[in-house]
Amino acid sequence: MAEFGCPDVDGEIGDSGVDLNGLVERREQGNDVREGDGNSGGGDGSGEPIVDLGPPGQGDVWSGDNWQQLCGANFEGDCSRLNEPAPPPTPPRPGGPVVVTLRDIASFRPTPPVSVMEPNGWAVVGVPANFVAEASSEVVSGALLGRTAEVRFTPVGYRWSHSDGAVVESASPGASWTDLGVAEFTPTGTSHVYAERGEYTVTLEVVLSAEYRFGGSGWQPIAGVLAVAGDPVPVLVGEVDTVLTNGDCRANPSGPGC
């Protein structure tokens, strides 16, 4: 009787198959043929025990090589590796990348922009008034898809809507006449000329792109842009008449023409 090394299993190889403690298994033409001593009971109902060493087709006769395949690649006379705990199951592959939309970040509110004008709060009919946007990139924290996240808003465009019907759009927030190095009332890319005197308002909208990230990971872009409006700013527009004076009216307010 030869021992095969697997725990509690011994037997011998014969012409008909493998004899394990009096239980014989043969494989003929892909079908299992099992014989035994009839003393173990159970099996297929015929009183003959069934010894199944593996699925059909794995080998006609179980030999030492088959045991090596069963016990593992490091088979050296024992099957202790069979008693090792099974490795943890491989986690399922993620279903795909997270897709975040502008609707998903509706609870993340960027700070409304502020519009500054010069001259401050007033303008002259027919003369440019200059408008400058105060807005910058901003990171807002909150909950996104049930997780803690950050959303970064970056200005990519600016739009001034004047109550006289004019709309001025720019990719730049504009700059003061001083920063531009030009004289007052010089036309700029964000200036506007009012045609009539009166009281007006101007509303600034900043067009923002958005990105998100979870837990300090890299920023991921969100398709599309959104516009955030600031409060309307009042503008008083008047007229200026040119007259001849004798000197400076501030120094001599009662002088001719003053």
Side-chain angles (χ1 to χ4, degrees):
M1 185 75 67
E3 294 188 0
F4 284 83
C6 287
D8 301 326
V9 177
D10 56 16
E12 62 183 10
I13 302 174
D15 294 338
S16 61
V18 180
D19 186 0
L20 304 179
N21 292 331
L23 306 182
V24 178
E25 174 174 298
R26 295 200 308 273
R27 307 247 174 138
E28 294 181 0
Q29 298 179 355
N31 299 318
D32 289 347
V33 179
R34 301 177 175 87
E35 299 177 359
D37 56 11
N39 295 323
S40 300
D44 58 3
S46 63
E48 297 182 6
I50 294 177
V51 179
D52 189 358
L53 299 180
Q58 196 165 354
D60 291 335
V61 176
W62 283 83
S63 65
D65 291 339
N66 297 121
W67 285 116
Q68 182 173 351
Q69 181 180 359
L70 176 65
C71 298
N74 296 330
F75 176 80
E76 293 180 356
D78 69 79
C79 291
S80 59
R81 292 185 58 188
L82 291 179
N83 298 321
E84 294 179 359
T90 302
R93 296 177 61 86
V98 176
V99 177
V100 175
T101 67
L102 293 177
R103 185 184 300 273
D104 295 324
I105 63 169
S107 61
F108 293 78
R109 301 297 179 90
T111 303
V114 175
S115 181
V116 177
M117 69 168 294
E118 52 182 4
N120 186 17
W122 61 272
V124 177
V125 172
V127 178
N130 190 33
F131 295 87
V132 180
E134 292 185 351
S136 60
S137 180
E138 179 182 13
V139 175
V140 180
S141 300
L144 176 61
L145 303 180
R147 300 171 59 185
T148 301
E150 292 178 310
V151 174
R152 180 169 64 186
F153 298 99
T154 303
V156 295
Y158 306 85
R159 181 187 301 116
W160 286 265
S161 298
H162 297 271
S163 60
D164 64 355
V167 176
V168 177
E169 295 184 334
S170 174
S172 163
S176 68
W177 285 314
T178 299
D179 291 340
L180 294 173
V182 298
E184 290 183 326
F185 305 109
T186 297
T188 69
T190 58
S191 64
H192 175 58
V193 176
Y194 293 93
E196 297 180 1
R197 61 185 301 172
E199 295 181 358
Y200 299 89
T201 61
V202 57
T203 302
L204 170 64
E205 286 182 302
V206 175
V207 181
L208 302 170
S209 66
E211 303 166 285
Y212 74 94
R213 68 179 179 182
F214 294 114
S217 60
W219 291 104
Q220 301 296 323
I222 301 175
V225 294
L226 67 155
V228 177
D231 295 329
V233 175
V235 179
L236 178 62
V237 179
E239 293 180 331
V240 175
D241 295 328
T242 301
V243 296
L244 296 176
T245 64
N246 183 16
D248 185 352
C249 287
R250 289 175 293 184
N252 184 19
S254 60
C258 295

